[in-house]
Amino acid sequence: MIDRPIARRRGLRTLAALAVALMFGAIPRAEAHRSHVTLTRIAINERSGQWEIVHAIHYHDALRLLAKLGIRDNIQPSSIEGRAQIALEVEKAFRWSTSNGRVLTPTTVGAELEGDNLLVYQEMPAPAADARIVVESSFMHDVFADQVNQVLLEYTEPRVTLRLSRSSRRAEFGGPSAAKRGG
């Protein structure tokens, strides 16, 4: 039979020793996650004809972005103000256009926490069916040197994922009719 008070004291001493070791660098700290990647999903709402765009940003990365922007410490990605600030940064950092230079402007419709991610929702009228679309992103490239922004075209079969990084910030892809033709 285990003596609970003795076992509890041993457990507390062990936790205290680990905490001290972490504070003074005896044990390396683990980051919340190893890579810095956002995922932007583009789907077509068949009923409305709108593109639905969802940007998923890891909570820890969103927190670092707010800190980099100099936002007050009490503003977190979980707060209304924090979500609004992140949504504004998404609006600034993602640029959408057609290959002939017509600017496409998504409308931000909300932001929420889901699990470990902050989701920013946008929508915009679907571009012309035969349009070539250009997406450019610098989102969080000034926060993390290895930041990657992936854009998943959910309307294609097979699915296509574009990779945008500090060294390759721009990608071009076909609209919905090109995807149906396989291009």
Side-chain angles (χ1 to χ4, degrees):
M1 186 166 151
I2 298 174
D3 185 354
R4 291 183 195 266
I6 291 173
R8 187 174 295 137
R9 282 194 298 267
R10 283 184 189 150
L12 289 174
R13 281 195 303 260
T14 301
L15 285 175
L18 283 171
V20 169
L22 277 171
M23 284 182 358
F24 293 104
I27 299 173
R29 294 181 185 167
E31 288 290 325
H33 57 122
R34 295 177 191 259
S35 59
H36 301 107
V37 179
T38 62
L39 176 63
T40 298
R41 298 182 338 250
I42 302 173
I44 300 170
N45 183 321
E46 297 293 336
R47 288 183 296 157
S48 68
Q50 296 278 322
W51 269 14
E52 295 178 344
I53 304 168
V54 180
H55 304 272
I57 304 126
H58 193 277
Y59 186 91
H60 182 259
D61 292 349
L63 191 60
R64 295 277 300 271
L65 174 60
L66 291 174
K68 176 82 173 172
L69 294 171
I71 305 298
R72 296 187 326 264
D73 286 344
N74 64 336
I75 303 297
Q76 303 290 310
S78 58
S79 69
I80 292 170
E81 298 88 353
R83 291 190 310 267
Q85 188 65 48
I86 300 291
L88 285 172
E89 291 303 311
V90 166
E91 288 178 6
K92 288 183 209 173
F94 279 87
R95 295 285 171 232
W96 304 87
S97 63
T98 61
S99 59
N100 64 7
R102 187 171 70 87
V103 174
L104 304 171
T105 307
T107 301
T108 300
V109 294
E112 69 178 348
L113 286 178
E114 184 177 284
D116 290 339
N117 293 306
L118 173 67
L119 303 179
V120 176
Y121 300 99
Q122 295 182 311
E123 62 184 19
M124 72 177 162
D130 60 348
R132 296 288 300 166
I133 311 303
V134 176
V135 60
E136 298 179 64
S137 178
S138 59
F139 186 64
M140 295 184 58
H141 293 178
D142 59 340
V143 179
F144 302 109
D146 63 342
Q147 178 67 44
V148 172
N149 307 110
Q150 293 184 337
V151 178
L152 173 62
L153 309 177
E154 291 187 340
Y155 59 83
T156 62
E157 195 56 49
R159 303 272 195 251
V160 173
T161 302
L162 309 171
R163 186 179 189 278
L164 307 174
S165 65
R166 190 178 279 212
S167 62
S168 180
R169 296 179 185 210
R170 181 180 192 273
E172 188 172 321
F173 58 96
S177 70
K180 291 177 185 172
R181 292 190 312 266

